[in-house]
Amino acid sequence: HQAPNTLPSGHTAAAMGLFFAALIVVSRRWYVPVTVLALPGAAFAGVATVAADWHRVSDTAAADLVALAVGLLGLAVAAQIGLVRPGPVVSRSSSPGQRLLYGILLTVATAALAVGAAYFVRYHGATSELARNNAAYWAAQAFALGAAVAAAGAMLAVCRNLESVGRRPPRGLTIEAP
């Protein structure tokens, strides 16, 4: 029995939104610590709402996308008023820790989505109700985690090309053409 709920999950959207807001306001050199500290909690919000049967996995994935869209809109506004500007080319400026973080996020997202797909296949091949329920539970958990980490990776991919100016610029300042 699935409890009545709404699309998207507010808990998930709020948690991911806070994570994305933290990425917007910190300097690029703080991306690794912020991600290591905040992303597990943000991702857990989506996984937990599915595990508690408060929302479907589609609700949490939609919440991740809504938070990503609002985060990107926030970045666009910050760029337009001059709070961020294009940074140096990423391949030369990413620290080894940042490159490792991006690799880990890609690996976790891919693995979680692959595990979810494997349990989805197992669900359709299950012969008992218990086996179907077990496969559905783990598929939903894996898909919720994969969606959260993929959304975080997308936001980091955009953020890593920007640099905070460190102070509020005068009114009317916009991003200069590269």
Side-chain angles (χ1 to χ4, degrees), residues 3-178:
N5 50 48
T6 58
L7 177 84
S9 164
H11 291 90
T12 304
M16 288 302 285
L18 288 171
F19 170 63
F20 293 154
L23 289 178
I24 291 170
V25 300
V26 300
S27 173
R28 190 182 345 196
R29 69 175 182 248
W30 288 97
Y31 287 169
V32 173
V34 166
T35 302
V36 167
L37 293 173
L39 180 57
F44 179 73
V47 172
T49 59
V50 172
D53 203 24
W54 294 348
H55 284 281
R56 295 175 188 89
V57 69
S58 60
D59 299 344
T60 62
D64 293 331
L65 291 175
V66 166
L68 179 61
V70 171
L72 293 174
L73 179 63
L75 269 176
V77 169
Q80 186 60 35
I81 63 174
L83 295 175
V84 295
R85 66 173 185 258
V89 177
V90 172
S91 63
R92 291 186 210 131
S93 65
S94 292
S95 70
Q98 287 175 342
R99 288 191 295 268
L100 178 64
L101 174 67
Y102 302 140
I104 290 171
L105 291 179
L106 180 63
T107 302
V108 169
T110 303
L113 295 173
V115 167
Y119 274 109
F120 182 76
V121 169
R122 178 181 269 184
Y123 171 84
H124 287 289
T127 56
S128 72
E129 186 68 25
L130 179 62
R132 285 176 70 98
N133 288 342
N134 188 37
Y137 176 83
W138 288 111
Q141 299 307 301
F143 284 139
L145 176 63
V149 175
M155 186 67 169
L156 278 165
V158 173
C159 286
R160 73 182 190 166
N161 293 316
L162 302 172
E163 185 60 58
S164 173
V165 297
R167 62 184 170 11
R168 179 148 190 184
R171 285 190 160 290
L173 183 65
T174 60
I175 295 179
E176 297 176 18

